[in-house]
Amino acid sequence: MADNSMILAALENDDELLLLLNTEEREKSVLHKVNIDALNDEQFRSMFRFQREDMTRLSCALRLPTKVVCENRTVCSGMQGLCILIRRLAYPSRLEDLSHVFGRSKAELSYICNTVLNLIDSEHGHLLENLNQSWLAHNQLDEMVDSVRRCDAPLSNCWGFIDGTVRPICRPQENQRLVFNGHKRIHGLKFQSIVTPNGMIAHLFGPIEGRRHDAGMLRESGIETQMQRYMTTQNNEVYSVYGDPAYPISPYIIPPFRGGVITAQQMRFNKKMSAVRVSVEWTFGKVLSLFAFLDYKKNQKLYLQPVGKYYRVAAILTNCHTILYGSETGKFFGLCPPTLDEYLS
């Protein structure tokens, strides 16, 4: 290929020169494209968190369209769009780094990532908001309660564990006090999760401002209203979740005993329930372990990126990962998650 001096001599129009150089740059990026089909199974799962055959199954279960068309008319297959999104979330890589993996420009990758993100959230976001699901039927809740009892937990009707988490974000230029969490001393967004003994995130509320207290987040989520409707049997028996001392006591949410002076029996209750409640922290950790991009706060820019939607979709994908490969929580309680079709139906 001729060097730049020859190109300058041959071209009289600066626009033609710019067009030629841009074409060369695009050709170079294609040459550096990673051949995904050539990756072995271990490399594929390391990059995309799912095995190759399960990725195709996941794309169908998520009901992604065969052809994804973005706002700027960028087109890709549903399978490739899912791979781009998962790779984007899997590690805090720059779009420029991903362009060498997928052979697409940064703008194309950004549009594809956001389009697939919106598709998954709009189609399956209700799975994180509604407790009226087939895998949370009363017979399934009975199995969850039994699995918690087998772990020597004294609470006889516990089907899950509730807790809040603060996800750090880059300090915004506006409304800094709204998102500043005084307890953690960081700027962030808060989410509230209910985790079941099979390792699934049954409910996720958020994001809300990082300064909000867990009790206020509970009240705003309206989860107790749903629990009154779906977690009460015909005999008026209730299924409850266990939380930390930040939550007020109710028939559906049980916190530990509080106060400066508690009995030895109450101390034993707190200790045994704390030993099983830690499973909610395992699930928080799994989300960040699978999708480390969420834990890189310098790239979580509130007014530039859909930060809250990133976490919501990551929670859905984490549930799918738990269904396909299990979880530490499920092994601890000896309980299997629902099937992929049952969860995403």
Side-chain angles (χ1 to χ4, degrees):
M1 183 177 292
D3 57 18
N4 286 343
S5 61
M6 296 177 62
I7 295 174
L8 287 170
L11 294 175
E12 298 179 355
N13 192 315
D14 291 340
D15 292 337
E16 293 178 353
L17 174 61
L18 181 61
L19 178 62
L20 176 61
L21 293 178
N22 286 340
T23 302
E24 291 180 351
E25 290 299 323
R26 287 196 297 269
E27 291 174 350
K28 290 178 181 179
S29 67
V30 173
L31 290 175
H32 286 85
K33 176 182 176 181
V34 175
N35 186 1
I36 296 177
D37 294 333
L39 298 176
N40 59 41
D41 293 341
E42 183 179 354
Q43 292 171 332
F44 188 93
R45 183 167 179 179
S46 177
M47 287 186 65
F48 301 108
R49 301 303 188 243
F50 294 85
Q51 295 179 2
R52 192 189 307 273
E53 60 273 15
D54 292 330
M55 185 70 83
T56 304
R57 181 183 170 193
L58 179 62
S59 178
C60 295
L62 289 171
R63 297 189 289 277
L64 293 176
T66 305
K67 180 179 178 182
V68 176
V69 181
C70 306
E71 292 181 357
N72 69 337
R73 313 308 297 173
T74 296
V75 178
C76 72
S77 67
M79 178 66 174
Q80 186 185 40
L82 182 61
C83 288
I84 290 174
L85 174 62
I86 291 179
R87 184 56 192 169
R88 173 66 164 160
L89 296 176
Y91 194 76
S93 302
R94 301 172 299 171
L95 290 174
E96 182 177 355
D97 300 327
L98 298 183
S99 66
H100 298 295
V101 177
F102 297 101
R104 289 179 176 269
S105 68
K106 294 185 291 183
E108 287 179 318
L109 291 172
S110 179
Y111 272 105
I112 292 172
C113 182
N114 288 334
T115 300
V116 177
L117 189 80
N118 291 333
L119 286 172
I120 295 177
D121 186 63
S122 61
E123 182 72 20
H124 303 287
H126 67 278
L127 299 175
L128 302 175
E129 302 167 356
N130 191 357
L131 294 180
N132 185 21
Q133 301 182 48
S134 60
W135 69 277
L136 291 175
H138 287 176
N139 61 328
Q140 302 292 332
L141 293 177
D142 288 335
E143 294 183 8
M144 297 178 190
V145 168
D146 292 340
S147 68
V148 176
R149 285 177 182 168
R150 289 195 298 268
C151 293
D152 199 27
L155 190 59
S156 60
N157 62 342
C158 178
W159 67 275
F161 308 94
I162 186 171
D163 198 9
T165 183
V166 183
R167 295 308 324 136
I169 62 173
C170 183
R171 185 180 64 182
Q173 294 183 352
E174 301 177 2
N175 300 320
Q176 295 181 10
R177 292 187 178 183
L178 288 178
V179 296
F180 184 75
N181 185 277
H183 177 65
K184 300 288 186 179
R185 309 296 297 177
I186 56 173
H187 295 87
L189 300 176
K190 295 194 74 173
F191 295 86
Q192 173 186 277
S193 294
I194 295 179
V195 175
T196 55
N198 56 14
M200 298 287 288
I201 301 174
H203 188 271
L204 179 70
F205 174 74
I208 66 170
E209 309 93 315
R211 70 175 184 174
R212 299 290 294 275
H213 190 270
D214 284 355
M217 185 164 53
L218 171 68
R219 182 174 59 254
E220 190 169 330
S221 70
I223 186 61
E224 285 190 279
T225 303
Q226 285 199 56
M227 294 176 73
Q228 290 174 6
R229 183 174 181 180
Y230 302 118
M231 302 300 162
T232 306
T233 67
Q234 294 180 349
N235 299 327
N236 289 327
E237 297 178 352
V238 301
Y239 299 96
S240 64
V241 296
Y242 185 77
D244 61 28
Y247 293 98
I249 189 170
S250 75
Y252 300 93
I253 300 178
I254 308 297
F257 289 99
R258 290 168 288 201
V261 180
I262 59 176
T263 66
Q265 185 177 4
Q266 291 172 340
M267 290 181 63
R268 285 195 297 271
F269 176 92
N270 289 353
K271 184 176 181 180
K272 289 184 178 181
M273 290 305 301
S274 177
V276 292
R277 194 199 72 85
V278 71
S279 60
V280 71
E281 306 293 347
W282 298 342
T283 305
F284 287 150
K286 181 176 182 178
V287 175
L288 300 181
S289 176
L290 289 175
F291 306 110
F293 177 78
L294 304 173
D295 206 27
Y296 184 62
K297 71 175 186 178
K298 290 184 178 180
N299 215 352
Q300 302 296 304
K301 300 175 181 178
L302 187 59
Y303 295 106
L304 297 178
Q305 295 173 313
V307 180
K309 195 174 291 185
Y310 281 152
Y311 194 85
R312 286 171 53 84
V313 171
I316 295 173
L317 294 175
T318 300
N319 278 346
C320 296
H321 191 279
T322 296
I323 290 170
L324 293 172
Y325 310 113
S327 65
E328 186 177 0
T329 301
K331 293 178 182 178
F332 179 79
F333 289 102
L335 199 61
C336 296
T339 64
L340 195 62
D341 293 333
E342 185 181 5
Y343 175 64
L344 295 174
S345 62

